[in-house]
Amino acid sequence: EFGSQQQFCTRNCEIGDDAAYENGAWSNVLIGSKGMYKSHPEEFGKQTIVESTECIAEKPYIMYEENENKYYLMIPRSELAKRGISWEKYSNSGVERVDFEDVYVAEEGISTAAIINAKLSEGKHVILTPGIYKIAEPIVVGTSNVVILGLGLATVQPADDAPYMDSLIFVKDGLKGVRIASLMVQGGEAGSNS
């Protein structure tokens, strides 16, 4: 049962034979999903179907390898024309495994934007642990294939005395494979210059 909401979007799922929507979900968009939702004849549900997701990159995650007593940053590879799920089919073969020697773990109150930018310029991936990161300058991504991943409620916001910034996180033009995930970005009180 979908509840009383009007619109739903389902991406890269496998919808079971008995999946139905009731009491709402008047508009469903299914992207790269296998199967369809059933509806009751008295409900006026509409489904828009996009056969595959043109290009998708799933969110990076952290894995602990017990037999090595090590953590790894796992970066799923981009997929083209994806339909349905892939974790079952590919297991970890479609995932880049990055040793934490190549990862900077940021900490609230200690890791400034300048420190994070220096680590990014060294080619390190950055993980922001839970907390509010009050920055005085933008975090700048200038290298392709870099991950910035937030854990918990990692939040980036301007420091109270920071000058106006057009962007708190800036990705330079022409880069590929940059992933920014699980971060909250909060604007400052000053507003924009325009």
Side-chain angles (χ1 to χ4, degrees):
E1 188 170 311
F2 280 85
S4 62
Q5 290 83 7
Q6 296 292 314
Q7 291 85 26
F8 283 88
C9 181
T10 305
R11 179 192 53 80
N12 294 100
C13 290
E14 293 187 6
I15 301 166
D17 293 337
D18 296 326
Y21 58 85
E22 298 175 357
N23 304 322
W26 308 124
S27 175
N28 281 290
V29 177
L30 290 92
I31 304 168
S33 295
K34 294 180 180 178
M36 293 179 67
Y37 295 112
K38 296 177 184 172
S39 63
H40 295 289
E42 66 275 5
E43 293 188 357
F44 300 101
K46 177 178 179 181
Q47 295 190 58
T48 302
I49 298 171
V50 179
E51 288 300 319
S52 64
T53 305
E54 185 176 325
C55 180
I56 188 167
E58 298 290 353
K59 184 171 80 171
Y61 57 95
I62 297 170
M63 181 180 80
Y64 176 69
E65 197 66 66
E66 190 172 359
N67 60 344
E68 298 176 36
N69 193 29
K70 288 178 83 171
Y71 287 93
Y72 291 95
L73 176 63
M74 307 298 283
I75 307 170
R77 288 179 172 68
S78 297
E79 297 178 74
L80 301 174
K82 182 176 177 180
R83 190 154 192 267
I85 60 173
S86 58
W87 72 77
E88 195 173 67
K89 181 169 61 173
Y90 299 119
S91 110
N92 285 335
S93 65
V95 179
E96 180 185 354
R97 184 173 158 150
V98 177
D99 192 294
F100 258 59
E101 290 176 0
D102 296 319
V103 176
Y104 173 68
V105 180
E107 295 180 70
E108 172 195 19
I110 296 171
S111 302
T112 64
I115 291 171
I116 293 169
N117 286 337
K119 298 301 180 182
L120 287 168
S121 67
E122 291 173 16
K124 290 193 179 280
H125 303 281
V126 174
I127 293 177
L128 281 78
T129 57
I132 298 174
Y133 293 80
K134 294 190 174 200
I135 60 173
E137 63 185 89
I139 294 171
V140 179
V141 179
T143 309
S144 292
N145 302 311
V146 167
V147 169
I148 300 177
L149 177 65
L151 300 179
L153 292 175
T155 304
V156 177
Q157 71 179 52
D160 295 335
D161 58 349
Y164 170 78
M165 292 177 257
D166 284 328
S167 177
L168 296 176
I169 301 174
F170 178 76
V171 179
K172 292 186 177 181
D173 289 340
L175 301 181
K176 296 184 184 225
V178 173
R179 310 264 184 98
I180 301 172
S182 299
L183 286 178
M184 293 179 54
V185 180
Q186 181 174 325
E189 294 180 18
S192 71
N193 283 338
S194 54

